[in-house]
Structure formats: C-alpha cells, structure tokens
Amino acid sequence: MHLALLLFLLFDNRFWETLEPRSWTDEQLLIMLTDSPWAQTTRMRDTAPLPVYLATAKPARLAEAELERRYSAQTQGKPADDTAKLEYQAFLRENEGKVIILAVRNPNRKALAQAEESRMMEEESFMKAGKKKFRMTGHLPPGESDPVLRLVFPRPTAQGKELGKDLTFELYLPGVTGPYRQASFPIKDLLYQGKLEM
C-alpha cells in the first residue's frame, strides 16, 4: 500500500512526463513556470519573490505555447501588440541550440528603460556551468502581450559531468528590491523524456 502511494505521488509530481501540455491544468502550467526543475522563484529576505525559468528548455517552451493557446482563445477579437513576442520567436528559431535563455516574469519595465540600469544588468549578470563562467550576451525586453524579460547566455558546449552539478545564474535585475539575485538549477533534475533540457 505504501509503495503504491509513493509511486502515485512520484508520478503525480512529474506530470510533464505523463501528460500532454493540453492536459495540464492551469495550476500545473503555473508550477511549470514557477516551481519545477526548470523554474524557481527567487527570494531574498524582505523582498518580493521573482519567478525565473529556463525558457529554452522544452518543458518551459511547451508551457509557454500552451498558455498562449489558452490566452489567445480567451482574447479573440482584441488587438494586442505582439511585436516582442514575434521578435522572441524569430530569435529562438535563428539561435536554436546556441543559447540558454533565462526568463524573468513581470520585470520592472520603467527600470529596464533606463540605460544605466540596463547596462548594469548586462555587465553584472552571469551564468556558471562547471568551471566556466559566461557573461550575458543580450536580452529581449518584455512587451504588452508578453510581460517576460529574457536574458540571453551562450550555450555551453560541455556535456554530462563537464557541466558540473548546477547551472547557476547570478543576476542584476533592474528596479527590483534586492536587485542581485541568484538561481541555481541542478543539472541532474533537468531531464525531460530522458534528454537534458536547459
């Protein structure tokens, strides 16, 4: 009896392995982008939590696409400025397999518009994989219909143990109380259908 319950809980918590994205509940979509192997909510004492996720990982891409499908169905007939979203999709197609994108939900747009803050973000944000440290190479700003800041990092060419135990991001996020944040993703947890996704 205990083994059956344990197996149920194990598979229930990994819904992305057993269910198609269209079958994910709204809560499961939220979990995928805030509290899954590819997502977490960064917290600092006395500061607002800030969700970040690996937007280039297949499970996160599937969750974003499913949210878009559901959201589009609800807003038919209402015009939306999709420029940022279209630019992001084109960037993904052109750079597939070359970059890792860390997404930050609901960033402070006013602070991002300040040149000094944007420069600080680009100079003070890094990704660590194994013994290597990678500087952020650019970002894709949020838009009206896509309120997500996407930070672009080069994709490490290393595989397996060379990547180390964690993929760690050290970030400076403009306009956030406690702008220096860290997010760390254990490499061993980033498997989706038997393949490393990041």
Side-chain angles (χ1 to χ4, degrees):
M1 180 70 157
H2 293 290
L3 180 60
L5 179 61
L6 181 62
L7 287 173
F8 172 77
L9 290 173
L10 178 65
F11 286 108
D12 189 50
N13 288 338
R14 297 181 60 82
F15 60 87
W16 52 84
E17 291 286 0
T18 57
L19 299 172
E20 291 295 316
R22 282 185 177 238
S23 299
W24 295 350
T25 65
D26 288 345
E27 182 182 357
Q28 287 170 329
L29 281 170
L30 181 64
I31 287 170
M32 182 56 72
L33 298 177
T34 59
D35 188 22
S36 71
W38 302 273
Q40 60 185 258
T41 301
T42 66
R43 289 178 171 80
M44 291 185 70
R45 198 163 116 183
D46 301 327
T47 64
L50 193 66
V52 298
Y53 59 94
L54 296 170
T56 38
K58 187 173 182 179
R61 286 183 285 130
L62 291 171
E64 285 186 328
E66 181 57 21
L67 278 173
E68 170 69 15
R69 185 189 70 80
R70 290 181 194 183
Y71 179 74
S72 294
Q74 293 172 2
T75 59
Q76 283 182 341
K78 296 181 183 176
D81 179 10
D82 286 338
T83 306
K85 191 178 297 179
L86 293 172
E87 287 175 359
Y88 170 60
Q89 290 167 348
F91 181 84
L92 267 184
R93 282 190 302 275
E94 292 167 15
N95 294 282
E96 188 172 353
K98 298 176 188 172
V99 297
I100 291 178
I101 297 176
L102 185 74
V104 181
R105 293 187 65 79
N106 301 312
N108 185 321
R109 291 188 200 182
K110 284 185 181 179
L112 277 171
Q114 297 172 14
E116 179 63 20
E117 284 291 294
S118 190
R119 184 189 64 76
M120 283 279 291
M121 178 180 67
E122 294 206 3
E123 289 181 1
E124 305 265 341
S125 296
F126 297 91
M127 177 183 74
K128 292 180 181 177
K131 296 179 181 178
K132 294 187 177 179
K133 190 173 183 179
F134 302 86
R135 183 180 291 270
M136 188 176 110
T137 58
H139 72 279
L140 298 154
E144 286 299 319
S145 64
D146 188 30
V148 179
L149 167 65
R150 292 180 167 86
L151 309 178
V152 182
F153 297 89
R155 188 176 204 87
T157 54
Q159 295 294 321
K161 290 182 181 179
E162 295 172 6
L163 285 174
K165 292 183 179 182
D166 300 298
L167 190 63
T168 301
F169 296 87
E170 294 177 1
L171 309 169
Y172 177 85
L173 299 172
V176 174
T177 304
Y180 290 95
R181 300 288 178 109
Q182 186 177 50
S184 191
F185 300 89
I187 297 289
K188 66 178 179 57
D189 295 342
L190 300 179
L191 294 179
Y192 175 70
Q193 298 180 346
K195 184 180 174 191
L196 179 65
E197 287 290 343
M198 54 186 193

